[in-house]
Amino acid sequence: MASGKRKETALLAARAGRYREYATPPALRRHFSHLWSHARHAGPPAMVAIVPDGYCDLLWIDGRLVVAGPDRTAAFPVIRPGATVIGARFGRLLEGAARHEEEPAREAAVIFAAADSGRAASGLLDRLGMSERQLRRRCHHHFGYGAKTLERIRRLQRFLDLCRRSETMPLARLALEAGFADQPHMTREVGELSTLTPAVILDQLSLRQRAD
């Protein structure tokens, strides 16, 4: 669990190594959406930040099998230089698929899609026919936390995606495009979830940095 103290020297996982995704073998598609690997760059040790994304993964790292997520804040695992992490991402709705129940799967998909698109959780109440308390309980059941937390995590991921595609977009514009109320809102929320500032994240993920 990450502390509230900002870790300005931490490297986002995307900058600390090479990430690749692979198609899931047919026998595993019922449980996993895709497989992936992350090869840590060789060189001096560095603190690596893995920010929350609303997913859960099964990891093979340094001879150990680990379940990661769903996280509320950034994690800072110790990954030795040159190491390769192998991961299998659980499909959302794994529980529903395993039990052959379609309704829980549709419900979870609707909630996640709303958070992913930036639509307010309050709009889900009528669509799903449930109260705020029921929505909170169902979100905890499906994702491990409430709808508001899921909204914040997916908003962070929209910001990261924009940073990857950006060269010169100012932070104030990035904040609005990602769905934050304003730049101070982005600075506060990104800091709480990742312990990094938006400026540090933009500097690490921007097209300009990747071209260097």
Side-chain angles (χ1 to χ4, degrees), residues 4-46:
K5 184 179 179 181
R6 292 184 184 267
K7 296 176 167 42
E8 303 293 359
T9 58
L11 279 177
L12 290 168
R15 286 287 295 173
R18 185 173 184 180
Y19 176 83
R20 290 182 173 180
E21 291 188 359
Y22 309 91
T24 307
L28 298 177
R29 287 175 187 167
R30 183 177 171 188
H31 304 298
F32 300 103
S33 62
H34 63 268
L35 308 181
W36 56 268
S37 67
H38 188 276
R40 175 83 157 77
H41 292 318

Side-chain angles (χ1 to χ4, degrees), residues 110 120-132 134-135:
V110 168
S122 57
L124 289 170
L125 301 181
D126 290 337
R127 186 174 180 184
L128 295 175
M130 59 179 62
S131 66
E132 288 187 14
Q134 288 174 319
L135 176 61

Side-chain angles (χ1 to χ4, degrees), residues 2-212:
S3 68
K5 184 179 179 181
R6 292 184 184 267
K7 296 176 167 42
E8 303 293 359
T9 58
L11 279 177
L12 290 168
R15 286 287 295 173
R18 185 173 184 180
Y19 176 83
R20 290 182 173 180
E21 291 188 359
Y22 309 91
T24 307
L28 298 177
R29 287 175 187 167
R30 183 177 171 188
H31 304 298
F32 300 103
S33 62
H34 63 268
L35 308 181
W36 56 268
S37 67
H38 188 276
R40 175 83 157 77
H41 292 318
M47 184 180 298
V48 178
I50 299 179
V51 299
D53 57 11
Y55 293 99
C56 190
D57 296 87
L58 185 64
L59 310 179
W60 180 256
I61 176 172
D62 283 337
R64 296 179 296 118
L65 198 60
V66 179
V67 176
D71 295 319
R72 295 172 180 264
T73 58
F76 297 87
V78 177
I79 303 176
R80 60 182 175 79
T84 296
V85 179
I86 305 297
R89 171 147 294 177
F90 286 109
R92 299 195 303 271
L93 330 172
L94 173 59
E95 181 176 359
R99 296 183 180 179
H100 305 283
E101 296 177 355
E102 295 185 0
E103 189 57 36
R106 286 197 297 267
E107 178 183 89
V110 168
I111 295 171
F112 194 95
D116 214 24
S117 66
R119 296 193 298 270
S122 57
L124 289 170
L125 301 181
D126 290 337
R127 186 174 180 184
L128 295 175
M130 59 179 62
S131 66
E132 288 187 14
R133 184 175 181 179
Q134 288 174 319
L135 176 61
R136 183 168 57 251
R137 185 170 63 247
R138 298 306 296 165
C139 284
H140 275 276
H141 174 73
H142 290 305
F143 309 108
Y145 33 63
K148 290 294 185 183
T149 298
L150 182 61
E151 276 185 23
R152 297 173 77 229
I153 288 171
R154 296 312 301 171
R155 186 159 51 229
L156 169 66
Q157 289 298 320
R158 288 197 298 276
F159 168 68
L160 297 181
D161 287 341
L162 287 167
C163 287
R164 294 184 186 101
R165 302 196 302 267
S166 174
E167 289 188 13
T168 59
M169 190 181 296
L171 287 171
R173 175 71 181 278
L174 284 170
L176 296 179
E177 292 288 333
F180 296 97
D182 50 31
Q183 187 173 341
H185 176 211
M186 177 178 70
T187 299
R188 181 176 65 255
E189 197 164 276
V190 168
E192 290 171 354
L193 292 171
S194 72
T195 75
L196 299 171
T197 67
V200 166
I201 291 176
L202 178 60
D203 187 57
Q204 291 190 22
L205 294 184
S206 68
L207 290 172
R208 172 176 48 81
Q209 280 291 340
R210 283 183 285 165
D212 291 343

